[in-house]
Amino acid sequence: MEQVPITRSALLARRGRLDLAKRGLELLEQKRDRLLDEFRDAAQHVLTEAGELDRAVGAGRRALIAAEVADGPEIVGSAALAARRDLVVSARPVTVMGVRIAEIDYAPLGRPRMGRGYTAAGSTAHVDEVAAAFEGVAEQVLRLAAHEVRIRRLSDEIRKTSRRVNALENTLIPRLEVEIRWIASRIEERERQDRFRLKRIKDQKGIRPGRGTQ
């Protein structure tokens, strides 16, 4: 405490800093709570989408096996090559409590039968079922990826916000409170000593406190 100035201006400055720190702590706690709500919501979506993906993959595999048994792997493989395409995915920023999070956007992946690149003669009902099933799988993967990206960003920001909350709550605010109490006590002690010295000086001069006495 030796470096802490024992002045009323220092006391006022630290009281101002303490008030600011407490208001900052309240805002950070509100931010963390909101981010945690968003994180829990995204995590629930991930669990749901992961379950849906498992079911979609299972259905796609069953459809693939049935198509290869019914039509042969050559026809299925040829249709798969014809149906290949690039997926167009974009990201746009959204803001949650001042945190920028990337939202993944994409067009629906389902296509009509004749929009998959193969001809009517080169496909069967089984092939169409496989194509539709794995279009659904791909779309499910994108939905899951979007939620996982959101979770990672939220998780990083929650950790940073929690560190700031802990620094204010456990370090800065307690230190300022200790310094404020110490400065206030030293100022009070110094004022008592000043009053005592003044009284002694008045006593030595024969001046007694009374009406009109300065």
Side-chain angles (χ1 to χ4, degrees), residues 17-35 97 161-162 164-170 172-173:
R17 288 180 61 191
L18 178 61
D19 182 62
L20 185 63
K22 286 182 175 180
R23 285 188 280 122
L25 175 61
E26 183 179 355
L27 290 174
L28 285 173
E29 287 176 335
Q30 292 174 0
K31 176 182 178 179
R32 184 179 60 182
D33 290 344
R34 173 70 185 280
L35 292 175
M97 293 296 289
T161 304
S162 295
R164 294 175 66 187
V165 166
N166 290 335
L168 287 173
E169 194 170 38
N170 300 320
L172 180 60
I173 289 176

Side-chain angles (χ1 to χ4, degrees), residues 112-160:
R113 182 185 183 195
M114 292 296 98
R116 293 188 175 116
Y118 50 71
T119 64
S123 71
T124 67
H126 292 293
V127 169
D128 291 336
E129 184 178 351
V130 173
F134 279 96
E135 285 170 350
V137 168
E139 195 158 332
Q140 200 72 40
V141 167
L142 289 176
R143 281 198 294 269
L144 182 59
H147 290 301
E148 288 182 343
V149 167
R150 188 179 185 88
I151 277 182
R152 283 196 295 270
R153 183 70 181 92
L154 288 169
S155 179
D156 289 343
E157 192 62 31
I158 287 169
R159 281 196 295 269
K160 288 198 302 186

Side-chain angles (χ1 to χ4, degrees), residues 182-193:
W182 187 80
I183 294 172
S185 67
R186 293 299 300 271
I187 289 176
E188 184 179 353
E189 179 184 355
R190 190 171 60 188
E191 288 177 345
R192 282 199 305 269
Q193 291 173 351

Side-chain angles (χ1 to χ4, degrees), residues 41-112:
D41 182 65
Q44 184 58 52
H45 277 93
V46 165
L47 291 174
T48 301
E49 298 294 347
E52 292 293 331
L53 179 59
D54 286 341
R55 285 188 285 273
V57 169
R61 285 174 176 168
R62 289 190 294 271
L64 178 60
I65 292 171
E68 288 182 337
V69 169
D71 302 326
E74 293 81 7
I75 290 178
V76 175
S78 176
L81 288 174
R84 290 179 63 181
R85 60 167 169 166
D86 294 329
L87 298 182
V88 179
V89 178
S90 61
R92 57 183 172 84
V94 296
T95 303
V96 178
M97 293 296 289
V99 180
R100 289 169 65 86
I101 300 174
E103 289 282 352
I104 295 177
D105 291 327
Y106 54 88
L109 303 185
R111 292 178 290 179

